Amino acid sequence: MVRISAIFISACMVLIAGSIGFVVYLRFGFTGAESALVALGVLTALAVYNAIAARKRDRIETSNQLANLARGSDDLARQLAEFGRRLSTVEVRVETTVDRALATAQPLAAEIEELSALVKQLADSVAAQEVTVSNAMLAAERRAMQTPAMQMPTAPAVHQQHVAPLAAASPVTPQPAPMPAATVPIAPIAPAVAAPPPPPPPPVERKVLAFAGLDRDGIIAAIRRAIDGGGIDLYLQPVVTLPQRKVRYYEALSRLKADNGDLVPAEDFLDYAEAGSLMPSLDHLSVQRCVQVVRRLLLKSRDVGVFCNISSATLTDAGFAKFLEFMEANRAIAPALVFEFTQSAVRAMGPIEHESLAALAERGYRFSIDNLTDLRVDARELNERGFRFVKAPAGLLFNRVGLVSTDIHPADFSDLLGRFGIDLIADHIENESTVVDLLDYDVRFGQGVLFSPPRPVRAEALQGGEPAKETTFAPPRDTPSPIDRAQPTSAPAAPVGNLAQLARAFSRRV
């Protein structure tokens, strides 16, 4: 549109200049050259005038736009000032509210602490009373079994029809007045003294077929040869999320390859290894292999970790400095490697063990507790020492393995640990109904043969380097190797029968 108007104005100026030159040529007798110069001068004057007028018009428009922009800037500045004032008011209100909430919560926190202390004292008293009652009952049963029952002579029963004539025939004789209760002599009764419980039977050593014919020293020597000669195999068992059943962690388990070719589980030879002071060497070997497995897993996914079982003897061993140097060199994988201790070992830890744990925690490593025999754990203290996981048998959570001695109901155990940043893992899960029951207990992780039994790790997976394309685990019948998975996957799918059983159990609970 602007170009058309400019062309029109230019044409008009040329026409006016030509007309003036033509008039000058005809009217005033100018020559042709003079008339052309006059026309050119008029055209130049018109062009200059048009340019000046256009520039003036542009200046007016620019000044108007600048004025509008200034007014907009003023409005924006006022809005920003208003926003700042409101923000400062909100900050003051938030600070006041937070201070008020803290002032209100402090007395409640103190009362809750006192209440928790009282509840703990009450639980201790109840537990002690239960122990006393159970000991008294056992003592009474023992005395009853040892002492023959005494035959008390009893008078023959008299029929009512014989009693009535007898009472009518015999004269009524006055009965002497009873003595007051205060004057009746009462023979003192000797209190029953509870017999002390019998001493516990000596522990019976477990007979292992692979160690048949070997005495204690021979078994220790066989374990030493297995550690030095590579006769300890590494197995992995997945820890899955519930209820999704996605593999999130693996637990590393040791298996001893006996001379006859049998595989001995760790629980069958650890006692002998502890008796022979072989636990530090066994732990060093297990940790080195776990580090290699973790490195291979992290090449596939950053969301997988490994639980590595070690003994508290390793924390007090003279070679712990070298162990710490090795873990310092592998500090990059610390978030994916979790050291696991038994509950009895954690309770028996002293200052040296706690100092070693603190050194590992400073390097980013986390810890876990397994083999729980009761639910009496101090979550706050565990959190301060770097423990982030607690493994409890499913039967213990359901109170199926005897009386559970704890300060809290097992259904609230997961929430108690969660308030201190500790995850609860239920292990020894063997059937679908257990999974349904665990959902009511807010358990996030599960482990057991229901999801997958322990699988062996092949030798090439422990050699370092890039991960091989073939399967790292010994190939199971229907389950792919967990190390070769690109991402954590779900546990093996349950059979249709188990799914139907799970659905029926869940419907019954609903």
Side-chain angles (χ1 to χ4, degrees), residues 77-94:
R78 285 194 298 271
Q79 292 177 3
L80 288 176
E82 181 66 18
F83 179 75
R85 186 184 62 80
R86 293 182 179 180
L87 183 61
S88 61
T89 304
V90 170
E91 290 179 352
V92 172
R93 291 181 179 178
V94 168

Side-chain angles (χ1 to χ4, degrees), residues 109-419:
E111 293 180 0
I112 291 175
E113 291 292 339
E114 295 178 359
L115 183 60
S116 62
L118 293 176
V119 170
K120 188 173 183 179
Q121 294 176 2
L122 179 60
D124 294 339
S125 302
V126 172
Q129 186 67 22
E130 289 178 353
V131 171
T132 304
V133 171
S134 61
N135 291 338
M137 293 178 65
L138 289 175
E141 293 178 357
R142 191 178 298 109
R143 289 197 306 273
M145 295 176 61
Q146 294 177 357
T147 305
M150 298 181 62
Q151 299 283 339
M152 297 298 295
T154 56
V158 182
H159 199 273
Q160 185 177 1
Q161 64 181 356
H162 295 159
V163 174
L166 181 61
S170 61
V172 178
T173 59
Q175 300 293 334
M179 297 178 63
T183 60
V184 176
I186 300 177
I189 300 176
V193 180
V204 179
E205 294 186 356
R206 182 181 302 176
K207 300 297 182 182
V208 182
L209 296 179
F211 296 148
L214 297 177
D215 57 359
R216 179 173 175 274
D217 296 335
I219 295 175
I220 294 175
I223 297 173
R224 182 180 292 107
R225 290 195 303 270
I227 295 175
D228 297 336
I232 303 296
D233 294 339
L234 188 68
Y235 280 60
L236 295 183
Q237 185 177 25
V239 177
V240 302
T241 60
L242 297 178
Q244 298 86 3
R245 304 193 183 190
K246 298 293 183 180
V247 176
R248 183 63 180 86
Y249 302 98
Y250 292 96
E251 181 177 1
L253 305 172
S254 298
R255 296 288 186 270
L256 186 144
K257 189 180 299 181
D259 296 336
N260 59 357
D262 293 342
L263 291 176
V264 183
E267 58 268 15
D268 290 338
F269 69 85
L270 285 183
D271 293 339
Y272 298 101
E274 292 179 357
S277 301
L278 299 177
M279 289 305 301
S281 301
L282 180 61
D283 290 342
H284 289 186
L285 178 62
S286 299
V287 170
Q288 290 177 3
R289 293 180 173 182
C290 288
V291 168
Q292 295 171 353
V293 171
V294 168
R295 288 188 177 278
R296 293 179 63 88
L297 289 173
L298 292 180
L299 293 176
K300 297 290 185 178
S301 174
R302 306 295 297 182
D303 296 331
V304 179
V306 174
F307 289 89
C308 183
N309 292 274
I310 64 175
S311 172
S312 58
T314 304
L315 303 178
T316 59
D317 186 64
F320 181 74
K322 295 183 179 179
F323 179 85
L324 196 60
E325 291 178 2
F326 178 74
M327 302 318 302
E328 175 68 25
N330 294 276
R331 191 170 185 172
I333 65 170
L337 184 60
V338 182
F339 294 113
E340 196 163 67
F341 303 89
T342 62
Q343 185 183 37
S344 59
V346 173
R347 289 180 174 177
M349 285 183 179
I352 299 178
E353 290 88 346
H354 290 160
E355 183 178 355
S356 301
L357 287 180
L360 291 173
E362 289 177 358
R363 287 155 178 80
Y365 293 95
R366 300 172 297 171
F367 312 115
S368 172
I369 294 182
D370 67 345
N371 291 344
L372 261 67
T373 57
D374 56 67
L375 303 183
R376 300 179 66 86
V377 298
D378 190 344
R380 185 190 302 275
E381 181 181 359
L382 292 179
N383 175 268
E384 293 175 354
R385 298 195 181 279
F387 286 85
R388 296 296 179 267
F389 301 93
V390 170
K391 285 187 179 180
L396 182 64
L397 294 176
F398 300 147
N399 200 11
R400 295 174 182 171
V401 294
L403 181 62
V404 176
S405 178
T406 179
D407 298 338
I408 191 171
H409 192 275
D412 301 328
F413 188 58
S414 177
D415 294 337
L416 172 64
L417 297 177
R419 288 197 293 269

